[in-house]
Amino acid sequence: MDDENDKDCLAPPSTNTFGIPNEPDLLLEYELYKASMGTKRLPSECHREVYAEAFIEHERLGTLADLCVRALAKLGTRHIAPPVKQYPMKLRIHYDSLDVNLPLEECYFVEDVRFWRRVVLAKSSDKTLQFKKIDECDWRGMGISLKYVELVEACPAAFWPEQQMAELGKLVRNYVRTLHIKHLQSLTDHSFSHYVESEPELDATSEESDEPDISSDESDTPAEEESEPTEDEERERPILRKRASRKDSSVRISDQTRVIEIDLQASVTEMKSQSEVRWKRKEARYSRNAARQQLRDLQQEKRTEHERRKQSRALMRKLPEPAPTLRKHRRSKITGLFNMTVQPEPDDGEADIPDKRNKDKLLDRLKRYDYPAKHCHHIDLSFVRYFDMLNSLTIEFLGPEMDRHYHKRHMNFSYDDMVHLAEGVRTLQQLKIFRLRNSRMDSMKLLIIARALKQLDALEVVDFGYDQLEDNCNVALEMLLERQVMLMELELEYNKLGTQSVDSIGYALRCHADNEPHGTPLRYLGLAHNPVGDYFLVNLIHGISGTNHVQELNIKGVEADSEIVERDLSCLLRTHAPLRWLNLAGIPLNAIDSRDLICSLESNHKVIYFDCRNCDMDLECEYEADIITRRNKYEMNREPLIDFLRSEEGIQEYLGKLRHPLVNNLERERARLSECTRNRPSHSSSESSIKEEAQEEYQEQEFDIWKVLGVQTSSVHHHELEKEPSTPSAQSSESAFVYNPNLFNLDQKQSGALESNF
């Protein structure tokens, strides 16, 4: 055989190879027992398909010990082997080997932050999280929340494992701070087959659930106004209380059984304020009565539907009446073929079967059932009560992942879903952010959830964006804002709100300012892309004028008349002092009348953000608006300086202290250097160590062995030793030698010259 050709012994391309661990001991054994080159050239070895000697050395393959750690990690995470716990490198390999898809009950106790970061990056749709560092987020809480939400979204709507999810929620409640639920499973087609296949008059569902009785409407009589409010009224709405002080000069007027005190010194303004308070109480009473009436109408509708179903069940259970027996008639004599009487065939019910044999009837029945929201149930959303330490809750009824199989029933949700959600939210006393977005809401659903959110004092942000809310939601919005601790942000963008809703918001803010003058204000109000009408700003300004509410207003893209909006915006900029942020982009304004708006903005020194893009304004006006907002930012950042420069003496003093920035930087650098020089240590550590070593050497040299042996030395030698300095530090401390020729006489100079010659 030719030993020079070594290419025949190499493995052909695209062949199977073994990968062995990068273990030093195994590599030594392999080098000892591996096949020789002559063995590889044998004819019996030419047609092999597996080459064990062509191993793969991969840097991540690791040693055999690392492979054992990875194998143990796949067996479980609750009990880690003691040898793995003792070595941090092996423990790191253990956590890196854990699968991100582990069940939550098997990994919630893991404290490794890198593992939870891998879980969050793998399951979250927010791609910006990968740019955050390991200590910038609560990775463990976010990972546990994502895993729990994954279980919730995978649960079918027809079955909710209450006990298992409650036990799991009890285990992870201390770590969950946020929940974001988007894709809940909806009912299957089989769940609606009963409504589709049955006749409308024979629909039958479950029995009517027990509902609490709605309290009766409040009376409008003066006696009811004078009486003390009930507990229900105290819980629903704080009542304005203004009492005029009683003085000595008063007259008592008796009117049958009522006694009224009239202060003779009461002014007309106080009487007007009392009448305004009575009017506000009456308006609040009307709104509460309207809410009760809506609840009663809903209950009456359910009762009527229930009675109809009972009647339909009774009809179904009723036995059919026996068919009357027909008497046999004598057959008439056949006179001709075309004169014969033929009886019709009995109905076999084939025409009523809604299948593919009768497509028209099937299509009619499918169109008849419109999948109403009251039939589109989901899982019991009251499970949020498990997480009593929750800070943020976001729910979106977007249905399951539909792709091309879209159906509107996936997007609907029932009133029972809202009732269950309200029951769970009511217990979350630490909740700060609540978002219910991208859902098909109505006034009744909003009223149910508003009654629950009203009881949360820690709530700061409420978001109902993209919820298809209409103008009849004014009662629910007013109820939401009737609270002692006001919200910080109310986001209502992209809905169908009108003038009534804006009026209710303004009225609720006015009542809160009267009841809680020193309370927290509503900072942000978002009404963007709503058909609010032409005069919505007038009513809003009337409600918030003189209060601290609405520091940021977003009316981007609202549908209103341009001239009326421009006039009201000018009034808002001139009268509402707390305003800091205004977004009116997308509102078509008149290019000529926009000059008045810029003048109003110029008179306002507090607005630091003014967005007027796509408003059909001139470029010059937009430029001036930008300059004005920059001026306001400068004044806000230098408010003490602005107050100082209001006088001529202050301006002169300020100009006298102005210097070039380069000079200021140079002086600052010099001051820093002088401070560093003043605070630096007097002696360095190296100098002190050198002195200590020199002192030890001198002590060794000063040691007298003759003195120890008792031998007397000459006094001259002892006298010379005494003349030497005690320590080397003394020599270093002496000043440098300076030659002064005036200190020597002529003889000393001559002797010094002779010594230098020698």
Side-chain angles (χ1 to χ4, degrees):
M1 295 182 182
D2 188 7
D3 296 338
E4 295 180 359
N5 189 7
D6 296 337
K7 296 182 179 180
D8 297 339
C9 63
L10 297 178
S14 303
T15 55
N16 299 327
T17 57
F18 280 122
I20 65 174
N22 192 10
E23 184 72 27
D25 298 337
L26 291 180
L27 292 177
L28 291 176
E29 294 290 336
Y30 175 75
E31 291 293 335
L32 179 60
Y33 294 104
K34 70 179 181 180
S36 62
M37 299 296 294
T39 305
K40 295 178 182 179
R41 294 192 184 97
L42 294 175
S44 61
E45 301 292 326
C46 293
H47 302 286
R48 286 195 304 166
E49 295 181 357
V50 177
Y51 288 82
E53 56 272 11
F55 57 89
I56 302 173
E57 293 185 6
H58 198 276
E59 57 181 4
R60 297 196 62 183
L61 194 57
T63 62
L64 185 60
D66 298 344
L67 292 179
C68 294
V69 173
R70 294 181 182 180
L72 290 174
K74 294 181 180 180
L75 295 178
T77 58
R78 186 174 295 274
H79 302 290
I80 304 176
V84 178
K85 287 184 178 181
Q86 294 175 2
Y87 296 97
M89 296 299 296
K90 290 184 173 56
L91 192 60
R92 178 77 267 147
I93 295 173
H94 172 82
Y95 287 126
D96 291 342
S97 303
L98 295 179
D99 188 9
V100 295
N101 295 320
L102 280 175
L104 182 57
E105 59 271 10
E106 297 182 6
C107 64
Y108 74 92
F109 48 83
V110 176
E111 299 180 356
D112 186 68
V113 183
R114 294 183 182 274
F115 166 72
W116 290 112
R117 186 174 184 272
R118 290 194 295 116
V119 172
V120 172
L121 295 181
K123 296 184 177 297
S124 177
S125 59
D126 189 2
K127 301 303 180 183
T128 60
L129 293 175
Q130 59 184 346
F131 300 106
K132 294 189 177 181
K133 298 180 181 179
I134 198 71
D135 55 344
E136 292 183 356
C137 292
D138 182 16
W139 299 104
R140 186 180 182 184
M142 294 175 62
I144 293 176
S145 175
L146 288 173
K147 281 184 171 291
Y148 194 90
V149 170
E150 189 178 17
L151 294 176
V152 171
E153 293 181 350
C155 184
F159 173 72
W160 169 250
E162 178 72 24
Q163 184 177 359
Q164 292 85 342
M165 299 301 289
E167 293 177 355
L168 186 58
K170 184 178 180 181
L171 294 175
V172 302
R173 56 178 289 273
N174 294 328
Y175 312 108
V176 178
R177 296 293 183 273
T178 60
L179 279 180
H180 189 177
I181 304 172
K182 296 177 64 176
H183 300 284
L184 290 174
Q185 297 293 326
S186 59
L187 292 174
T188 59
D189 293 334
H190 179 70
S191 303
F192 299 96
S193 60
H194 171 72
Y195 304 106
V196 176
E197 296 176 359
S198 60
E199 295 293 337
E201 64 273 5
L202 297 180
D203 290 343
T205 58
S206 59
E207 295 292 336
E208 183 182 17
S209 59
D210 296 334
E211 296 180 355
D213 296 334
I214 308 301
S215 58
S216 59
D217 293 344
E218 301 176 26
S219 175
D220 293 338
T221 58
E224 292 291 336
E225 294 184 3
E226 297 288 338
S227 61
E228 296 183 356
T230 60
E231 295 182 359
D232 189 12
E233 296 177 3
E234 288 288 344
R235 185 174 63 255
E236 290 184 357
R237 180 185 184 91
I239 298 178
L240 302 173
R241 298 179 179 178
K242 293 184 179 180
R243 297 180 179 178
S245 58
R246 297 176 57 184
K247 299 184 179 180
D248 297 336
S249 56
S250 61
V251 180
R252 300 175 63 88
I253 301 175
S254 177
D255 183 9
Q256 294 180 357
T257 58
R258 297 181 57 201
V259 177
I260 305 175
E261 291 190 5
I262 302 177
D263 192 354
L264 297 179
Q265 298 181 2
S267 61
V268 178
T269 58
E270 293 179 355
M271 297 176 65
K272 289 183 178 180
S273 63
Q274 291 178 2
S275 62
E276 184 178 357
V277 168
R278 295 193 193 96
W279 180 78
K280 290 180 180 179
R281 288 180 180 176
K282 185 180 295 183
E283 290 291 332
R285 184 166 54 252
Y286 288 162
S287 63
R288 291 195 296 271
N289 292 341
R292 293 189 183 95
Q293 185 63 35
Q294 289 184 2
L295 293 175
R296 283 193 291 268
D297 293 343
L298 182 62
Q299 287 188 358
Q300 183 63 30
E301 181 182 356
K302 289 185 177 180
R303 293 191 186 99
T304 305
E305 184 71 15
H306 181 62
E307 292 295 333
R308 186 183 63 80
R309 291 167 185 164
K310 289 175 64 176
Q311 294 178 3
S312 64
R313 294 191 194 100
L315 291 175
M316 293 175 64
R317 297 189 185 99
K318 187 177 180 181
L319 296 177
E321 297 181 358
T325 58
L326 298 178
R327 297 180 60 183
K328 293 183 180 181
H329 297 280
R330 183 183 302 176
R331 292 184 179 181
S332 60
K333 186 177 180 180
I334 299 176
T335 58
L337 179 63
F338 297 100
N339 296 331
M340 295 176 56
T341 57
V342 181
Q343 297 293 335
E345 296 184 359
D347 187 12
D348 56 356
E350 290 290 335
D352 297 332
I353 300 177
D355 55 6
K356 294 183 179 179
R357 293 175 295 179
N358 195 336
K359 294 183 179 181
D360 294 337
K361 191 173 289 293
L362 176 63
L363 185 60
D364 291 341
R365 294 199 175 188
L366 290 177
K367 289 182 177 180
R368 186 193 66 198
Y369 185 70
D370 196 26
Y371 293 91
K374 60 183 179 180
H375 295 163
C376 301
H377 303 289
H378 291 79
I379 60 174
D380 189 0
L381 294 176
S382 62
F383 73 90
V384 297
R385 69 182 183 276
Y386 304 153
F387 310 102
D388 52 353
M389 303 178 68
L390 200 65
N391 293 331
S392 175
L393 176 61
T394 304
I395 298 180
E396 301 179 28
F397 288 94
L398 297 177
E401 297 291 345
M402 293 175 285
D403 296 332
R404 295 185 178 182
H405 305 286
Y406 170 79
H407 198 281
K408 64 179 181 180
R409 64 180 175 84
H410 299 302
M411 312 293 291
N412 288 336
F413 58 98
S414 63
Y415 297 106
D416 294 337
D417 295 336
M418 281 290 99
V419 172
H420 296 157
L421 179 60
E423 291 176 357
V425 170
R426 190 179 291 110
T427 61
L428 305 179
Q429 296 299 326
Q430 298 185 16
L431 189 66
K432 294 183 178 180
I433 301 175
F434 178 80
R435 302 184 185 275
L436 182 58
R437 300 171 58 87
N438 299 318
S439 305
R440 297 184 177 182
M441 295 281 290
D442 55 19
S443 59
M444 200 66 228
K445 296 177 183 177
L446 185 62
L447 184 63
I448 294 172
I449 195 65
R451 292 170 66 93
L453 296 176
K454 180 183 176 181
Q455 304 177 12
L456 304 180
D457 294 335
L459 194 62
E460 297 179 356
V461 179
V462 175
D463 185 4
F464 290 112
Y466 299 89
D467 281 345
Q468 303 181 12
L469 297 177
E470 297 183 355
D471 198 23
N472 57 356
C473 299
N474 56 339
V475 178
L477 292 175
E478 184 177 352
M479 181 181 295
L480 179 63
L481 296 177
E482 291 175 355
R483 44 192 303 123
Q484 295 181 355
V485 181
M486 181 52 66
L487 303 172
M488 295 184 63
E489 298 182 9
L490 179 60
E491 303 177 12
L492 302 171
E493 293 85 355
Y494 293 92
N495 286 294
K496 301 177 182 179
L497 301 177
T499 307
Q500 296 182 5
S501 301
V502 179
D503 295 349
S504 300
I505 293 174
Y507 175 72
L509 295 178
R510 168 63 64 180
C511 293
H512 180 270
D514 295 340
N515 295 329
E516 303 289 339
H518 302 290
T520 57
L522 179 67
R523 185 172 57 86
Y524 175 84
L525 177 60
L527 298 173
H529 297 278
N530 280 280
V532 289
D534 297 337
Y535 298 95
F536 76 101
L537 272 178
V538 177
N539 301 326
L540 183 62
I541 294 172
H542 177 72
I544 65 177
S545 61
T547 66
N548 295 327
H549 295 294
V550 188
Q551 300 177 7
E552 301 178 4
L553 180 61
N554 186 4
I555 55 174
K556 175 181 177 182
V558 297
E559 300 177 9
D561 186 71
S562 59
E563 296 181 359
I564 299 176
V565 170
E566 188 272 332
R567 181 196 63 191
D568 297 340
L569 284 175
S570 300
C571 179
L572 179 67
L573 290 172
R574 293 179 183 274
T575 58
H576 193 52
L579 189 64
R580 300 290 184 273
W581 194 92
L582 181 61
N583 187 355
L584 49 94
I587 302 178
L589 301 178
N590 192 353
I592 300 176
D593 297 336
S594 60
R595 174 57 55 183
D596 298 337
L597 184 62
I598 298 299
C599 294
S600 303
L601 180 62
E602 185 180 2
S603 63
N604 192 311
H605 291 259
K606 300 296 182 180
V607 176
I608 60 176
Y609 182 85
F610 185 82
D611 191 354
C612 57
R613 293 172 296 177
N614 299 328
C615 291
D616 298 338
M617 298 176 64
D618 297 337
L619 294 177
E620 184 179 356
C621 294
E622 293 184 2
Y623 178 74
E624 291 182 6
D626 185 36
I627 294 298
I628 292 171
T629 53
R630 292 186 181 185
R631 179 203 66 181
N632 296 343
K633 290 180 182 178
Y634 181 85
E635 292 180 357
M636 181 174 294
N637 296 333
R638 296 167 177 81
E639 186 174 358
L641 181 61
I642 298 300
D643 297 337
F644 179 71
L645 297 179
R646 296 190 183 279
S647 62
E648 184 176 356
E649 293 79 4
I651 294 175
Q652 293 179 357
E653 184 179 355
Y654 176 73
L655 293 177
K657 295 180 180 179
L658 282 180
R659 293 189 179 183
H660 197 274
L662 294 178
V663 178
N664 294 333
N665 295 337
L666 182 60
E667 292 181 354
R668 194 181 304 109
E669 186 67 20
R670 287 182 177 180
R672 189 182 64 82
L673 290 176
S674 61
E675 182 71 17
C676 181
T677 304
R678 183 169 58 255
N679 295 332
R680 71 179 181 181
S682 58
H683 300 285
S684 62
S685 59
S686 59
E687 293 179 357
S688 60
S689 60
I690 292 173
K691 290 181 179 180
E692 291 178 358
E693 293 178 359
Q695 186 175 3
E696 292 178 357
E697 292 179 358
Y698 177 75
Q699 290 179 358
E700 292 178 358
Q701 294 177 2
E702 194 179 5
F703 180 72
D704 191 0
I705 188 62
W706 301 108
K707 190 174 183 180
V708 175
L709 297 175
V711 179
Q712 295 291 336
T713 59
S714 60
S715 60
V716 179
H717 181 69
H718 182 69
H719 182 67
E720 292 177 357
L721 290 175
E722 291 179 352
K723 290 182 179 181
E724 294 180 358
S726 60
T727 58
S729 61
Q731 295 180 359
S732 62
S733 63
E734 293 180 359
S735 61
F737 175 75
V738 179
Y739 176 73
N740 189 359
N742 297 326
L743 296 178
F744 300 96
N745 52 21
L746 184 59
D747 298 337
Q748 291 175 345
K749 289 181 180 180
Q750 291 177 354
S751 61
L754 292 173
E755 290 178 359
S756 62
N757 293 330
F758 286 109

